[in-house]
């Protein structure tokens, strides 16, 4: 504890050890996330704080799982753990601070993404998820609120509070966030860990490209009924490739659902990307001398203590300082040099939690798997100048209300439901139709909106999609002005389901 940074137990802590708290940047039911300053290096970090005396044993267990997962994962698209500070009354996880906020806010402000924009983020998400699954870890709470964006709009998967080791066994805990949770969990069945992450990945992709939830609902009964009808509305403004991928991801039967391996080879995912960045795990034992020099010369650390801390992965202040300095250096240098070692085709590339209803509200996760950095992604405001697809900020609709903290353990917030238009059948058992609350004020449909239910005429294949695609994109563009983001004022808590 640095002198002068001690805080009495009575006063609100404004610092802990070598970190000075600045403000709260996230609040869940079990934990707060604070922006803090790492005093020795002057670097901003995120500190997830859990007050032990306010938590049940299961939530302490939840955090223990999060620590285990974060220690096991080192990936550019997964938020990095720097230090674990375990005191009498608090457990603090010091992590990298991701400056761009989360994908929920991005969608709320800018509306749904074009498929090109969504593809880059989806690729990174797949890469991060593959990294988790390769290490036996399933996330179990994938949603826009848990996907952060950095300054270059690269994604950082966060919140491993519901993650767990699956190790080839079936899981039984009923957990997740209602609108993103897989059908097998909704049905209280034993489930395969990776398959439930793939379902949530499908819901996230749907939300990214439409701004709507495929299966909105205020309670588990409504969502379950909608999911189990095996119908999801796949808007015509989406390309055939995107709709096909969504069908594969949102397949109710887990054994028929796409696996990550299928996704890695999916045509939509592979469209036109190059510059694969091989993901390199930080070799903990061959230290970077430029970093250790700063630690010894400028910060007064003992050289002989740095390597043992890194090699043993102690996640103590020594390791944290090394990782923080290393991440600053990498930020200044940019992502690692491209080694085009794999072509697109050969491909690269976390119990007992309450299920909180999320009717479209903020709903307060290798081997050298290539990783994508999309430096060409620009901040939306920059796009206006550069002539890329202009993204008008989505206008607020009557239903839009300011965010409020959610009482439920998984504050749920997600973009709005889209009006039901026509169903599409897919023959794969994947769900085919979305239902929407009345009064949603925009029509995101193709020019042939109002088609009777039934097979939606396939839009011309290929990214261009011809006139239908252009019309669809026009509608998509217009719909950005009326993109609805439901308020997140109330969350229906569902019975807490204890792990079986
Ligand atoms: C930046 C913002 C918000 N949260 C974070 N960062 N950088 C985190 C890292 C973070 C680390 S763990 C974690 C979040 C988490 N959150 O578990 C931010 C930046 N801006 N605004 C916000 C500009 C969960 C949940 N996803 C618990 C707290 C509630 C959200």
């Amino acid at each position: 504890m640095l002198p002068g940074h001690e805080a009495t137990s009575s006063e609100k802590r404004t610092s802990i050890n070598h970190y000075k708290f600045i403000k709260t940047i996230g609040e869940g039911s079990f934990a707060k996330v604070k922006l803090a300053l790492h005093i020795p290096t002057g670097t901003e970090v995120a500190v997830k704080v859990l007050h032990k005396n306010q938590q049940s044993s299961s939530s302490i267990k939840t955090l223990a799982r999060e620590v285990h997962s974060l220690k096991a994962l080192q990936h550019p698209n997964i938020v990095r753990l720097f230090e674990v500070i375990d005191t009498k009354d608090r457990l603090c996880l010091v992590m990298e601070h991701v400056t761009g906020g989360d994908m929920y806010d991005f969608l709320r402000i800018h509306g749904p993404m074009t498929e090109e924009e969504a593809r880059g983020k989806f690729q990174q998400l797949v890469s991060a998820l593959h990294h988790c699954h390769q290490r036996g870890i399933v996330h179990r709470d994938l949603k826009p609120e848990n996907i952060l964006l950095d300054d270059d709009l690269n994604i950082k998967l966060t919140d491993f509070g519901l993650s767990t080791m699956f190790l080839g066994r079936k899981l039984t805990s009923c957990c997740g966030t209602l609108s993103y949770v897989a059908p097998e969990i909704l049905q209280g069945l034993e489930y395969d860990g990776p398959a439930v992450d793939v379902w949530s990945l499908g819901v996230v992709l749907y939300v990214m490209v439409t701004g709507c939830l495929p299966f909105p609902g205020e309670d588990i009964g409504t969502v379950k009924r909608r999911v189990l009808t095996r119908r999801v509305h796949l808007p015509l403004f989406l390309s055939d490739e995107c709709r096909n991928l969504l069908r594969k991801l949102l397949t109710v039967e887990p054994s028929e659902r796409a696996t990550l391996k299928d996704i890695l080879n999916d045509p939509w995912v592979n469209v036109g990307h190059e510059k694969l960045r091989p993901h390199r795990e930080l070799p903990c034992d061959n230290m970077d001398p430029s970093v250790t020099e700063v630690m010894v010369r400028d910060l007064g650390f003992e050289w002989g203590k740095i390597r043992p801390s890194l090699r043993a992965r102690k996640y103590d202040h020594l390791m944290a300082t090394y990782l923080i300095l290393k991440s600053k250096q990498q930020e200044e240098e940019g992502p690692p040099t491209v080694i085009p070692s794999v072509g697109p085709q050969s491909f690269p590339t976390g119990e007992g939690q309450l299920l909180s209803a999320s009717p479209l509200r903020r709903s307060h996760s290798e081997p050298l798997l290539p990783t994508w950095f999309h430096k060409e992604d620009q901040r939306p405001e920059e796009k206006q100048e550069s002539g890329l697809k202009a993204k008008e900020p989505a206008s607020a609709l009557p239903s839009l209300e300011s965010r409020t903290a959610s009482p439920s353990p998984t504050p749920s917030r997600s973009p709005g439901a889209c009006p039901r238009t026509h169903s599409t059948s897919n023959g794969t058992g994947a769900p085919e139709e979305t239902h929407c609350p009345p009064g949603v004020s925009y029509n995101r449909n193709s020019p042939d909106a109002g088609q009777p239910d039934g097979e939606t005429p396939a839009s011309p294949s290929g990214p261009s999609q011809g006139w239908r695609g252009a019309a669809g994109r026009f509608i998509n563009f217009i719909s950005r002005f009326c993109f609805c983001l439901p308020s997140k004022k109330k969350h229906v808590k569902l019975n807490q389901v204890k792990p079986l």
Side-chain angles (χ1 to χ4, degrees):
M1 186 80 73
L2 291 180
H5 288 281
E6 299 84 2
T8 59
S9 54
S10 56
E11 77 194 30
K12 190 167 161 47
R13 280 272 177 94
T14 58
S15 66
I16 184 163
N17 293 11
H18 305 273
Y19 304 92
K20 181 164 183 47
F21 292 140
I22 298 170
K23 62 178 179 179
T24 298
I25 52 176
E27 193 148 4
S29 290
F30 294 133
K32 271 185 185 179
V33 178
K34 290 187 173 290
L35 176 63
L37 186 71
H38 179 241
I39 295 158
T41 62
T43 307
E44 287 187 337
V45 293
V47 182
K48 189 167 186 176
V49 183
L50 178 107
H51 293 277
K52 290 179 179 175
N53 52 9
Q54 296 167 9
Q55 305 301 331
S56 61
S57 58
S58 69
S59 56
I60 300 275
K61 195 190 303 179
T62 298
L63 211 89
R65 280 192 181 136
E66 181 163 13
V67 172
H68 174 271
S69 296
L70 288 168
K71 283 184 175 180
L73 303 169
Q74 281 117 49
H75 187 283
N77 299 117
I78 296 176
V79 71
R80 191 74 171 90
L81 177 68
F82 292 147
E83 185 174 357
V84 179
I85 302 173
D86 193 353
T87 67
K88 175 175 55 60
D89 61 341
R90 291 193 295 182
L91 184 61
C92 297
L93 307 185
V94 181
M95 290 179 264
E96 71 175 296
H97 174 238
V98 186
T99 50
D102 65 37
M103 186 181 281
Y104 173 90
D105 284 335
F106 182 89
L107 291 166
R108 181 174 56 83
I109 295 164
H110 304 290
M113 302 174 192
T114 65
E115 291 186 27
E116 292 68 32
E117 289 159 344
R119 180 175 297 111
K121 290 159 188 60
F122 187 79
Q123 287 171 343
Q124 294 180 357
L125 198 47
V126 168
S127 180
L129 212 49
H130 185 274
H131 182 80
C132 296
H133 292 178
Q134 287 271 308
R135 283 151 188 77
I137 293 169
V138 61
H139 187 280
R140 296 199 297 188
D141 199 16
L142 289 180
K143 55 186 177 183
E145 293 84 319
N146 291 339
I147 299 169
L148 302 173
L149 295 162
D150 71 11
D151 279 340
D152 295 318
L153 295 184
N154 289 303
I155 70 121
K156 298 274 184 177
L157 183 55
T158 184
D159 201 349
F160 285 76
L162 280 180
S163 67
T164 193
M165 298 295 288
F166 58 92
L167 301 173
R169 65 185 169 93
K170 290 287 187 187
L171 301 174
T172 53
S173 295
C174 175
C175 57
T177 298
L178 186 56
S179 293
Y180 296 85
V181 80
E184 53 271 31
I185 294 182
L186 290 173
Q187 297 174 87
L189 304 173
E190 283 193 335
Y191 58 90
D192 167 67
V196 301
D197 274 351
V198 168
W199 174 274
S200 304
L201 194 61
V203 179
V204 169
L205 177 59
Y206 190 98
V207 168
M208 286 202 278
V209 294
T210 69
C212 309
L213 277 174
F215 312 106
E218 297 281 329
D219 58 78
I220 193 166
T222 305
V223 176
K224 189 170 163 183
R225 187 174 65 255
R226 288 177 171 165
V227 167
L228 297 182
T229 59
R230 298 167 186 271
R231 302 163 69 78
V232 62
H233 167 61
L234 299 172
L236 261 180
F237 59 75
L238 297 176
S239 68
D240 275 359
E241 289 76 10
C242 187
R243 283 146 55 98
N244 289 337
L245 175 57
L246 285 167
R247 286 194 188 96
K248 289 193 275 187
L249 296 170
L250 297 176
T251 295
V252 170
E253 180 46 53
S255 60
E256 294 165 20
R257 192 175 306 151
T259 63
L260 274 189
K261 188 167 183 295
D262 301 327
I263 300 167
L264 299 182
N265 293 300
D266 178 84
W268 182 85
V269 178
N270 275 290
V271 168
H273 81 72
E274 69 285 330
K275 289 189 183 178
L276 299 183
R277 305 270 194 236
H279 162 56
R280 287 198 194 88
E281 289 202 13
L282 189 70
C284 262
D285 47 0
N286 59 341
M287 301 183 300
D288 181 331
S290 66
V291 174
T292 51
E293 184 189 346
V294 169
M295 291 179 69
V296 172
R297 185 195 63 212
D298 303 339
L299 302 178
F301 287 98
E302 285 182 52
W303 194 92
K305 292 187 176 177
I306 302 173
R307 180 188 299 277
S309 170
L310 291 176
R311 184 167 278 177
R313 292 177 184 251
K314 288 187 177 174
Y315 287 93
D316 57 9
H317 186 231
L318 260 165
M319 183 167 176
T321 305
Y322 179 91
L323 293 176
I324 289 169
L325 288 171
K326 187 66 188 166
S327 65
K328 276 180 91 164
Q329 181 194 74
Q330 285 170 334
E331 238 172 67
E332 281 139 24
E333 286 170 1
T337 314
V338 178
I339 302 174
S341 54
V342 285
Q345 294 318 320
S346 54
F347 227 86
T349 163
E351 134 170 11
Q353 174 82 24
L354 290 180
L355 288 175
S356 60
S358 55
L360 316 178
R361 290 175 176 72
R362 171 172 279 275
S363 47
H364 299 283
S365 1
E366 222 195 55
L368 281 190
L369 183 70
T371 304
W372 296 272
F373 283 88
H374 289 265
K375 298 303 279 183
E376 65 273 15
D377 274 354
Q378 289 166 285
R379 284 173 169 282
E381 58 276 10
E382 288 163 6
K383 284 192 174 174
Q384 314 277 351
E385 290 75 56
S386 65
L388 293 177
K389 188 175 182 68
K391 274 184 171 276
E392 293 302 319
S395 61
L397 291 177
S399 63
L400 186 65
E401 291 175 27
S402 63
R403 286 167 38 160
T404 51
S406 153
S408 73
T410 47
S412 67
R413 51 179 195 179
S414 294
C418 301
R420 176 180 170 190
T421 51
H422 20 244
S423 62
T424 57
S425 67
N426 61 8
T428 66
E432 281 295 328
E433 184 181 3
T434 286
H435 310 264
C436 304
V440 175
S441 63
Y442 64 82
N443 174 347
R444 300 172 53 87
N445 306 307
S446 68
D448 54 357
Q451 282 251 333
D453 279 4
E455 180 61 21
T456 302
S459 55
S461 60
S464 65
Q465 303 160 309
W467 66 268
R468 190 187 292 277
R473 283 193 295 278
F474 173 73
I475 287 158
N476 190 16
F477 176 75
I478 295 296
S479 68
R480 292 167 193 273
F481 288 94
C482 51
F483 163 71
C484 86
L485 188 65
S487 69
K488 39 183 288 296
K489 63 187 175 199
K490 76 177 170 66
H491 297 274
V492 173
K493 275 194 178 184
L494 301 170
N495 294 332
Q496 173 144 358
V497 182
K498 295 279 183 209
L500 301 182

